[in-house]
PDB file of all heavy atoms in Angstrom:
ATOM      1  N   HIS A 145       0.832  -1.215   0.000  1.00 87.00           N
ATOM      2  CA  HIS A 145       0.000   0.000   0.000  1.00 87.00           C
ATOM      3  C   HIS A 145       0.857   1.252   0.000  1.00 87.00           C
ATOM      4  O   HIS A 145       0.530   2.241  -0.650  1.00 87.00           O
ATOM      5  CB  HIS A 145      -0.945   0.003   1.205  1.00 87.00           C
ATOM      6  CG  HIS A 145      -1.941  -1.112   1.182  1.00 87.00           C
ATOM      7  ND1 HIS A 145      -2.869  -1.259   0.172  1.00 87.00           N
ATOM      8  CD2 HIS A 145      -2.135  -2.146   2.025  1.00 87.00           C
ATOM      9  CE1 HIS A 145      -3.597  -2.332   0.402  1.00 87.00           C
ATOM     10  NE2 HIS A 145      -3.173  -2.904   1.523  1.00 87.00           N
ATOM     11  N   ILE A 146       1.943   1.192   0.741  1.00 91.00           N
ATOM     12  CA  ILE A 146       2.902   2.294   0.764  1.00 91.00           C
ATOM     13  C   ILE A 146       4.256   1.712   0.361  1.00 91.00           C
ATOM     14  O   ILE A 146       4.900   1.022   1.153  1.00 91.00           O
ATOM     15  CB  ILE A 146       2.993   2.929   2.167  1.00 91.00           C
ATOM     16  CG1 ILE A 146       1.626   3.468   2.592  1.00 91.00           C
ATOM     17  CG2 ILE A 146       4.052   4.019   2.187  1.00 91.00           C
ATOM     18  CD1 ILE A 146       1.570   3.973   4.011  1.00 91.00           C
ATOM     19  N   PRO A 147       4.681   1.940  -0.877  1.00 93.00           N
ATOM     20  CA  PRO A 147       5.968   1.392  -1.312  1.00 93.00           C
ATOM     21  C   PRO A 147       7.101   1.860  -0.404  1.00 93.00           C
ATOM     22  O   PRO A 147       7.152   3.021  -0.012  1.00 93.00           O
ATOM     23  CB  PRO A 147       6.130   1.950  -2.730  1.00 93.00           C
ATOM     24  CG  PRO A 147       4.732   2.249  -3.176  1.00 93.00           C
ATOM     25  CD  PRO A 147       4.006   2.674  -1.936  1.00 93.00           C
ATOM     26  N   ALA A 148       7.981   0.906  -0.041  1.00 95.00           N
ATOM     27  CA  ALA A 148       9.069   1.245   0.874  1.00 95.00           C
ATOM     28  C   ALA A 148      10.207   0.237   0.735  1.00 95.00           C
ATOM     29  O   ALA A 148      10.014  -0.866   0.241  1.00 95.00           O
ATOM     30  CB  ALA A 148       8.550   1.231   2.314  1.00 95.00           C
ATOM     31  N   TYR A 149      11.389   0.656   1.197  1.00 95.00           N
ATOM     32  CA  TYR A 149      12.539  -0.238   1.301  1.00 95.00           C
ATOM     33  C   TYR A 149      12.546  -0.839   2.700  1.00 95.00           C
ATOM     34  O   TYR A 149      12.327  -0.133   3.685  1.00 95.00           O
ATOM     35  CB  TYR A 149      13.853   0.527   1.099  1.00 95.00           C
ATOM     36  CG  TYR A 149      14.086   0.959  -0.316  1.00 95.00           C
ATOM     37  CD1 TYR A 149      13.678   2.214  -0.752  1.00 95.00           C
ATOM     38  CD2 TYR A 149      14.715   0.116  -1.227  1.00 95.00           C
ATOM     39  CE1 TYR A 149      13.895   2.615  -2.054  1.00 95.00           C
ATOM     40  CE2 TYR A 149      14.936   0.518  -2.533  1.00 95.00           C
ATOM     41  CZ  TYR A 149      14.522   1.768  -2.941  1.00 95.00           C
ATOM     42  OH  TYR A 149      14.731   2.170  -4.225  1.00 95.00           O
ATOM     43  N   TYR A 150      12.806  -2.140   2.785  1.00 96.00           N
ATOM     44  CA  TYR A 150      12.871  -2.835   4.062  1.00 96.00           C
ATOM     45  C   TYR A 150      14.240  -3.477   4.223  1.00 96.00           C
ATOM     46  O   TYR A 150      14.727  -4.121   3.300  1.00 96.00           O
ATOM     47  CB  TYR A 150      11.805  -3.932   4.140  1.00 96.00           C
ATOM     48  CG  TYR A 150      10.409  -3.382   4.146  1.00 96.00           C
ATOM     49  CD1 TYR A 150       9.721  -3.176   2.955  1.00 96.00           C
ATOM     50  CD2 TYR A 150       9.778  -3.052   5.341  1.00 96.00           C
ATOM     51  CE1 TYR A 150       8.434  -2.663   2.963  1.00 96.00           C
ATOM     52  CE2 TYR A 150       8.500  -2.543   5.349  1.00 96.00           C
ATOM     53  CZ  TYR A 150       7.828  -2.341   4.158  1.00 96.00           C
ATOM     54  OH  TYR A 150       6.560  -1.828   4.163  1.00 96.00           O
ATOM     55  N   LEU A 151      14.825  -3.299   5.400  1.00 96.00           N
ATOM     56  CA  LEU A 151      16.082  -3.960   5.709  1.00 96.00           C
ATOM     57  C   LEU A 151      15.772  -5.430   5.964  1.00 96.00           C
ATOM     58  O   LEU A 151      15.016  -5.765   6.865  1.00 96.00           O
ATOM     59  CB  LEU A 151      16.730  -3.331   6.944  1.00 96.00           C
ATOM     60  CG  LEU A 151      18.029  -3.955   7.415  1.00 96.00           C
ATOM     61  CD1 LEU A 151      19.100  -3.861   6.335  1.00 96.00           C
ATOM     62  CD2 LEU A 151      18.493  -3.281   8.696  1.00 96.00           C
ATOM     63  N   ILE A 152      16.321  -6.307   5.141  1.00 96.00           N
ATOM     64  CA  ILE A 152      16.014  -7.729   5.213  1.00 96.00           C
ATOM     65  C   ILE A 152      17.049  -8.487   6.015  1.00 96.00           C
ATOM     66  O   ILE A 152      16.736  -9.307   6.862  1.00 96.00           O
ATOM     67  CB  ILE A 152      15.919  -8.341   3.792  1.00 96.00           C
ATOM     68  CG1 ILE A 152      14.778  -7.688   3.019  1.00 96.00           C
ATOM     69  CG2 ILE A 152      15.752  -9.841   3.839  1.00 96.00           C
ATOM     70  CD1 ILE A 152      13.415  -7.857   3.644  1.00 96.00           C
ATOM     71  N   ASP A 153      18.316  -8.222   5.743  1.00 96.00           N
ATOM     72  CA  ASP A 153      19.369  -9.007   6.361  1.00 96.00           C
ATOM     73  C   ASP A 153      20.709  -8.374   6.025  1.00 96.00           C
ATOM     74  O   ASP A 153      20.767  -7.360   5.336  1.00 96.00           O
ATOM     75  CB  ASP A 153      19.333 -10.440   5.817  1.00 96.00           C
ATOM     76  CG  ASP A 153      19.837 -11.468   6.804  1.00 96.00           C
ATOM     77  OD1 ASP A 153      20.595 -11.100   7.718  1.00 96.00           O
ATOM     78  OD2 ASP A 153      19.488 -12.643   6.650  1.00 96.00           O
ATOM     79  N   SER A 154      21.753  -9.002   6.493  1.00 96.00           N
ATOM     80  CA  SER A 154      23.101  -8.616   6.091  1.00 96.00           C
ATOM     81  C   SER A 154      23.732  -9.817   5.394  1.00 96.00           C
ATOM     82  O   SER A 154      23.286 -10.950   5.565  1.00 96.00           O
ATOM     83  CB  SER A 154      23.933  -8.193   7.302  1.00 96.00           C
ATOM     84  OG  SER A 154      24.026  -9.245   8.223  1.00 96.00           O
ATOM     85  N   ALA A 155      24.744  -9.527   4.594  1.00 95.00           N
ATOM     86  CA  ALA A 155      25.431 -10.588   3.854  1.00 95.00           C
ATOM     87  C   ALA A 155      26.924 -10.310   3.891  1.00 95.00           C
ATOM     88  O   ALA A 155      27.353  -9.181   3.658  1.00 95.00           O
ATOM     89  CB  ALA A 155      24.919 -10.635   2.420  1.00 95.00           C
ATOM     90  N   LYS A 156      27.704 -11.344   4.178  1.00 95.00           N
ATOM     91  CA  LYS A 156      29.160 -11.214   4.220  1.00 95.00           C
ATOM     92  C   LYS A 156      29.756 -11.569   2.873  1.00 95.00           C
ATOM     93  O   LYS A 156      29.319 -12.513   2.220  1.00 95.00           O
ATOM     94  CB  LYS A 156      29.747 -12.148   5.276  1.00 95.00           C
ATOM     95  CG  LYS A 156      29.458 -11.762   6.688  1.00 95.00           C
ATOM     96  CD  LYS A 156      30.144 -12.715   7.643  1.00 95.00           C
ATOM     97  CE  LYS A 156      29.809 -12.382   9.074  1.00 95.00           C
ATOM     98  NZ  LYS A 156      30.460 -13.308  10.005  1.00 95.00           N
ATOM     99  N   GLY A 157      30.785 -10.815   2.493  1.00 92.00           N
ATOM    100  CA  GLY A 157      31.491 -11.115   1.260  1.00 92.00           C
ATOM    101  C   GLY A 157      32.656 -10.178   1.054  1.00 92.00           C
ATOM    102  O   GLY A 157      32.744  -9.129   1.686  1.00 92.00           O
ATOM    103  N   GLU A 158      33.538 -10.565   0.160  1.00 92.00           N
ATOM    104  CA  GLU A 158      34.674  -9.720  -0.188  1.00 92.00           C
ATOM    105  C   GLU A 158      34.202  -8.481  -0.950  1.00 92.00           C
ATOM    106  O   GLU A 158      34.776  -7.407  -0.819  1.00 92.00           O
ATOM    107  CB  GLU A 158      35.682 -10.496  -1.041  1.00 92.00           C
ATOM    108  CG  GLU A 158      36.305 -11.689  -0.331  1.00 92.00           C
ATOM    109  CD  GLU A 158      37.142 -11.292   0.869  1.00 92.00           C
ATOM    110  OE1 GLU A 158      37.745 -10.196   0.861  1.00 92.00           O
ATOM    111  OE2 GLU A 158      37.199 -12.087   1.823  1.00 92.00           O
ATOM    112  N   THR A 159      33.172  -8.659  -1.763  1.00 90.00           N
ATOM    113  CA  THR A 159      32.568  -7.584  -2.549  1.00 90.00           C
ATOM    114  C   THR A 159      31.056  -7.731  -2.452  1.00 90.00           C
ATOM    115  O   THR A 159      30.554  -8.792  -2.049  1.00 90.00           O
ATOM    116  CB  THR A 159      32.973  -7.690  -4.038  1.00 90.00           C
ATOM    117  OG1 THR A 159      32.423  -8.913  -4.564  1.00 90.00           O
ATOM    118  CG2 THR A 159      34.474  -7.671  -4.218  1.00 90.00           C
ATOM    119  N   PRO A 160      30.288  -6.713  -2.855  1.00 88.00           N
ATOM    120  CA  PRO A 160      28.828  -6.865  -2.863  1.00 88.00           C
ATOM    121  C   PRO A 160      28.380  -8.023  -3.753  1.00 88.00           C
ATOM    122  O   PRO A 160      27.453  -8.760  -3.414  1.00 88.00           O
ATOM    123  CB  PRO A 160      28.322  -5.531  -3.400  1.00 88.00           C
ATOM    124  CG  PRO A 160      29.401  -4.561  -3.086  1.00 88.00           C
ATOM    125  CD  PRO A 160      30.683  -5.350  -3.198  1.00 88.00           C
ATOM    126  N   GLU A 161      29.055  -8.194  -4.895  1.00 85.00           N
ATOM    127  CA  GLU A 161      28.716  -9.287  -5.808  1.00 85.00           C
ATOM    128  C   GLU A 161      28.906 -10.641  -5.131  1.00 85.00           C
ATOM    129  O   GLU A 161      28.051 -11.514  -5.224  1.00 85.00           O
ATOM    130  CB  GLU A 161      29.576  -9.218  -7.085  1.00 85.00           C
ATOM    131  CG  GLU A 161      29.330  -8.012  -7.946  1.00 85.00           C
ATOM    132  CD  GLU A 161      30.181  -6.801  -7.555  1.00 85.00           C
ATOM    133  OE1 GLU A 161      30.813  -6.790  -6.471  1.00 85.00           O
ATOM    134  OE2 GLU A 161      30.200  -5.840  -8.340  1.00 85.00           O
ATOM    135  N   HIS A 162      30.037 -10.805  -4.450  1.00 89.00           N
ATOM    136  CA  HIS A 162      30.331 -12.050  -3.745  1.00 89.00           C
ATOM    137  C   HIS A 162      29.305 -12.288  -2.640  1.00 89.00           C
ATOM    138  O   HIS A 162      28.812 -13.408  -2.471  1.00 89.00           O
ATOM    139  CB  HIS A 162      31.750 -11.989  -3.168  1.00 89.00           C
ATOM    140  CG  HIS A 162      32.131 -13.195  -2.397  1.00 89.00           C
ATOM    141  ND1 HIS A 162      32.193 -13.200  -1.021  1.00 89.00           N
ATOM    142  CD2 HIS A 162      32.434 -14.458  -2.795  1.00 89.00           C
ATOM    143  CE1 HIS A 162      32.529 -14.400  -0.601  1.00 89.00           C
ATOM    144  NE2 HIS A 162      32.686 -15.191  -1.657  1.00 89.00           N
ATOM    145  N   ALA A 163      28.975 -11.250  -1.890  1.00 91.00           N
ATOM    146  CA  ALA A 163      27.988 -11.380  -0.816  1.00 91.00           C
ATOM    147  C   ALA A 163      26.640 -11.832  -1.370  1.00 91.00           C
ATOM    148  O   ALA A 163      25.977 -12.694  -0.783  1.00 91.00           O
ATOM    149  CB  ALA A 163      27.846 -10.054  -0.079  1.00 91.00           C
ATOM    150  N   LEU A 164      26.236 -11.279  -2.507  1.00 87.00           N
ATOM    151  CA  LEU A 164      24.959 -11.683  -3.113  1.00 87.00           C
ATOM    152  C   LEU A 164      25.000 -13.119  -3.604  1.00 87.00           C
ATOM    153  O   LEU A 164      24.070 -13.889  -3.362  1.00 87.00           O
ATOM    154  CB  LEU A 164      24.600 -10.765  -4.276  1.00 87.00           C
ATOM    155  CG  LEU A 164      23.940  -9.457  -3.895  1.00 87.00           C
ATOM    156  CD1 LEU A 164      23.734  -8.602  -5.134  1.00 87.00           C
ATOM    157  CD2 LEU A 164      22.622  -9.697  -3.191  1.00 87.00           C
ATOM    158  N   LYS A 165      26.070 -13.480  -4.290  1.00 87.00           N
ATOM    159  CA  LYS A 165      26.172 -14.834  -4.818  1.00 87.00           C
ATOM    160  C   LYS A 165      26.102 -15.875  -3.707  1.00 87.00           C
ATOM    161  O   LYS A 165      25.490 -16.921  -3.861  1.00 87.00           O
ATOM    162  CB  LYS A 165      27.464 -15.002  -5.620  1.00 87.00           C
ATOM    163  CG  LYS A 165      27.423 -14.321  -6.949  1.00 87.00           C
ATOM    164  CD  LYS A 165      28.740 -14.463  -7.679  1.00 87.00           C
ATOM    165  CE  LYS A 165      28.737 -13.667  -8.962  1.00 87.00           C
ATOM    166  NZ  LYS A 165      30.025 -13.687  -9.639  1.00 87.00           N
ATOM    167  N   GLU A 166      26.732 -15.557  -2.571  1.00 91.00           N
ATOM    168  CA  GLU A 166      26.772 -16.499  -1.463  1.00 91.00           C
ATOM    169  C   GLU A 166      25.473 -16.537  -0.654  1.00 91.00           C
ATOM    170  O   GLU A 166      25.230 -17.501   0.065  1.00 91.00           O
ATOM    171  CB  GLU A 166      27.940 -16.154  -0.528  1.00 91.00           C
ATOM    172  CG  GLU A 166      29.292 -16.332  -1.162  1.00 91.00           C
ATOM    173  CD  GLU A 166      29.572 -17.767  -1.538  1.00 91.00           C
ATOM    174  OE1 GLU A 166      29.291 -18.669  -0.732  1.00 91.00           O
ATOM    175  OE2 GLU A 166      30.069 -17.990  -2.665  1.00 91.00           O
ATOM    176  N   ASN A 167      24.651 -15.503  -0.755  1.00 94.00           N
ATOM    177  CA  ASN A 167      23.494 -15.380   0.132  1.00 94.00           C
ATOM    178  C   ASN A 167      22.157 -15.162  -0.562  1.00 94.00           C
ATOM    179  O   ASN A 167      21.136 -15.032   0.116  1.00 94.00           O
ATOM    180  CB  ASN A 167      23.731 -14.214   1.107  1.00 94.00           C
ATOM    181  CG  ASN A 167      24.902 -14.458   2.014  1.00 94.00           C
ATOM    182  OD1 ASN A 167      24.800 -15.191   2.982  1.00 94.00           O
ATOM    183  ND2 ASN A 167      26.045 -13.861   1.687  1.00 94.00           N
ATOM    184  N   LEU A 168      22.129 -15.126  -1.888  1.00 93.00           N
ATOM    185  CA  LEU A 168      20.900 -14.773  -2.594  1.00 93.00           C
ATOM    186  C   LEU A 168      19.763 -15.761  -2.342  1.00 93.00           C
ATOM    187  O   LEU A 168      18.616 -15.352  -2.167  1.00 93.00           O
ATOM    188  CB  LEU A 168      21.156 -14.629  -4.093  1.00 93.00           C
ATOM    189  CG  LEU A 168      20.019 -14.001  -4.885  1.00 93.00           C
ATOM    190  CD1 LEU A 168      19.703 -12.596  -4.375  1.00 93.00           C
ATOM    191  CD2 LEU A 168      20.356 -13.959  -6.361  1.00 93.00           C
ATOM    192  N   VAL A 169      20.048 -17.042  -2.282  1.00 94.00           N
ATOM    193  CA  VAL A 169      18.992 -18.031  -2.038  1.00 94.00           C
ATOM    194  C   VAL A 169      18.373 -17.802  -0.659  1.00 94.00           C
ATOM    195  O   VAL A 169      17.142 -17.775  -0.509  1.00 94.00           O
ATOM    196  CB  VAL A 169      19.545 -19.464  -2.172  1.00 94.00           C
ATOM    197  CG1 VAL A 169      18.519 -20.481  -1.718  1.00 94.00           C
ATOM    198  CG2 VAL A 169      19.969 -19.740  -3.600  1.00 94.00           C
ATOM    199  N   ARG A 170      19.213 -17.608   0.336  1.00 96.00           N
ATOM    200  CA  ARG A 170      18.723 -17.363   1.702  1.00 96.00           C
ATOM    201  C   ARG A 170      17.926 -16.067   1.779  1.00 96.00           C
ATOM    202  O   ARG A 170      16.851 -16.011   2.386  1.00 96.00           O
ATOM    203  CB  ARG A 170      19.909 -17.303   2.670  1.00 96.00           C
ATOM    204  CG  ARG A 170      19.519 -17.004   4.102  1.00 96.00           C
ATOM    205  CD  ARG A 170      20.743 -16.977   5.015  1.00 96.00           C
ATOM    206  NE  ARG A 170      21.769 -16.024   4.627  1.00 96.00           N
ATOM    207  CZ  ARG A 170      21.713 -14.712   4.881  1.00 96.00           C
ATOM    208  NH1 ARG A 170      20.689 -14.197   5.524  1.00 96.00           N
ATOM    209  NH2 ARG A 170      22.710 -13.927   4.507  1.00 96.00           N
ATOM    210  N   ILE A 171      18.419 -15.022   1.142  1.00 96.00           N
ATOM    211  CA  ILE A 171      17.746 -13.722   1.160  1.00 96.00           C
ATOM    212  C   ILE A 171      16.401 -13.809   0.447  1.00 96.00           C
ATOM    213  O   ILE A 171      15.392 -13.295   0.929  1.00 96.00           O
ATOM    214  CB  ILE A 171      18.641 -12.640   0.539  1.00 96.00           C
ATOM    215  CG1 ILE A 171      19.845 -12.389   1.459  1.00 96.00           C
ATOM    216  CG2 ILE A 171      17.866 -11.357   0.292  1.00 96.00           C
ATOM    217  CD1 ILE A 171      20.961 -11.619   0.818  1.00 96.00           C
ATOM    218  N   THR A 172      16.376 -14.484  -0.699  1.00 95.00           N
ATOM    219  CA  THR A 172      15.125 -14.653  -1.446  1.00 95.00           C
ATOM    220  C   THR A 172      14.101 -15.402  -0.604  1.00 95.00           C
ATOM    221  O   THR A 172      12.925 -15.009  -0.546  1.00 95.00           O
ATOM    222  CB  THR A 172      15.384 -15.395  -2.771  1.00 95.00           C
ATOM    223  OG1 THR A 172      16.348 -14.661  -3.534  1.00 95.00           O
ATOM    224  CG2 THR A 172      14.114 -15.544  -3.580  1.00 95.00           C
ATOM    225  N   SER A 173      14.535 -16.446   0.059  1.00 96.00           N
ATOM    226  CA  SER A 173      13.650 -17.222   0.925  1.00 96.00           C
ATOM    227  C   SER A 173      13.107 -16.362   2.069  1.00 96.00           C
ATOM    228  O   SER A 173      11.914 -16.435   2.406  1.00 96.00           O
ATOM    229  CB  SER A 173      14.406 -18.427   1.472  1.00 96.00           C
ATOM    230  OG  SER A 173      13.617 -19.147   2.365  1.00 96.00           O
ATOM    231  N   LYS A 174      13.965 -15.547   2.632  1.00 97.00           N
ATOM    232  CA  LYS A 174      13.544 -14.679   3.734  1.00 97.00           C
ATOM    233  C   LYS A 174      12.523 -13.648   3.259  1.00 97.00           C
ATOM    234  O   LYS A 174      11.536 -13.378   3.946  1.00 97.00           O
ATOM    235  CB  LYS A 174      14.756 -13.990   4.353  1.00 97.00           C
ATOM    236  CG  LYS A 174      14.457 -13.291   5.640  1.00 97.00           C
ATOM    237  CD  LYS A 174      15.726 -12.934   6.377  1.00 97.00           C
ATOM    238  CE  LYS A 174      15.389 -12.346   7.739  1.00 97.00           C
ATOM    239  NZ  LYS A 174      16.615 -12.048   8.493  1.00 97.00           N
ATOM    240  N   VAL A 175      12.733 -13.075   2.071  1.00 96.00           N
ATOM    241  CA  VAL A 175      11.772 -12.122   1.507  1.00 96.00           C
ATOM    242  C   VAL A 175      10.427 -12.805   1.288  1.00 96.00           C
ATOM    243  O   VAL A 175       9.379 -12.261   1.639  1.00 96.00           O
ATOM    244  CB  VAL A 175      12.296 -11.505   0.187  1.00 96.00           C
ATOM    245  CG1 VAL A 175      11.202 -10.755  -0.553  1.00 96.00           C
ATOM    246  CG2 VAL A 175      13.478 -10.594   0.461  1.00 96.00           C
ATOM    247  N   ARG A 176      10.448 -14.011   0.726  1.00 95.00           N
ATOM    248  CA  ARG A 176       9.201 -14.759   0.507  1.00 95.00           C
ATOM    249  C   ARG A 176       8.431 -14.948   1.810  1.00 95.00           C
ATOM    250  O   ARG A 176       7.226 -14.747   1.869  1.00 95.00           O
ATOM    251  CB  ARG A 176       9.485 -16.128  -0.095  1.00 95.00           C
ATOM    252  CG  ARG A 176       9.733 -16.112  -1.552  1.00 95.00           C
ATOM    253  CD  ARG A 176       9.613 -17.508  -2.148  1.00 95.00           C
ATOM    254  NE  ARG A 176       9.991 -17.446  -3.525  1.00 95.00           N
ATOM    255  CZ  ARG A 176       9.225 -16.948  -4.489  1.00 95.00           C
ATOM    256  NH1 ARG A 176       8.041 -16.477  -4.205  1.00 95.00           N
ATOM    257  NH2 ARG A 176       9.647 -16.923  -5.730  1.00 95.00           N
ATOM    258  N   LYS A 177       9.166 -15.328   2.849  1.00 95.00           N
ATOM    259  CA  LYS A 177       8.526 -15.590   4.137  1.00 95.00           C
ATOM    260  C   LYS A 177       7.984 -14.300   4.762  1.00 95.00           C
ATOM    261  O   LYS A 177       6.839 -14.251   5.211  1.00 95.00           O
ATOM    262  CB  LYS A 177       9.528 -16.256   5.080  1.00 95.00           C
ATOM    263  CG  LYS A 177       8.956 -16.656   6.401  1.00 95.00           C
ATOM    264  CD  LYS A 177       9.979 -17.381   7.246  1.00 95.00           C
ATOM    265  CE  LYS A 177       9.400 -17.740   8.608  1.00 95.00           C
ATOM    266  NZ  LYS A 177      10.398 -18.393   9.440  1.00 95.00           N
ATOM    267  N   LEU A 178       8.800 -13.257   4.797  1.00 94.00           N
ATOM    268  CA  LEU A 178       8.392 -12.003   5.427  1.00 94.00           C
ATOM    269  C   LEU A 178       7.208 -11.331   4.734  1.00 94.00           C
ATOM    270  O   LEU A 178       6.364 -10.719   5.386  1.00 94.00           O
ATOM    271  CB  LEU A 178       9.570 -11.024   5.469  1.00 94.00           C
ATOM    272  CG  LEU A 178      10.694 -11.357   6.431  1.00 94.00           C
ATOM    273  CD1 LEU A 178      11.875 -10.415   6.212  1.00 94.00           C
ATOM    274  CD2 LEU A 178      10.205 -11.258   7.873  1.00 94.00           C
TER     275      LEU A 178
END
């Protein structure tokens, strides 16, 4: 109803790309659940 950004989680990595590659499945699952 009100578009917004939500802090979902943190991800560890050497770079943002590495952090996403290592954590995208978990983050996607968390978004689905929330």
Side-chain angles (χ1 to χ4, degrees):
H145 296 299
I146 300 174
Y149 288 93
Y150 294 90
L151 178 61
I152 298 300
D153 209 337
S154 60
K156 290 183 183 179
E158 297 296 329
T159 65
E161 295 88 348
H162 178 255
L164 278 176
K165 286 178 185 175
E166 294 296 316
N167 296 282
L168 191 60
V169 171
R170 178 179 57 79
I171 292 165
T172 302
S173 176
K174 191 166 185 177
V175 168
R176 280 196 186 284
K177 184 177 178 182
L178 289 172

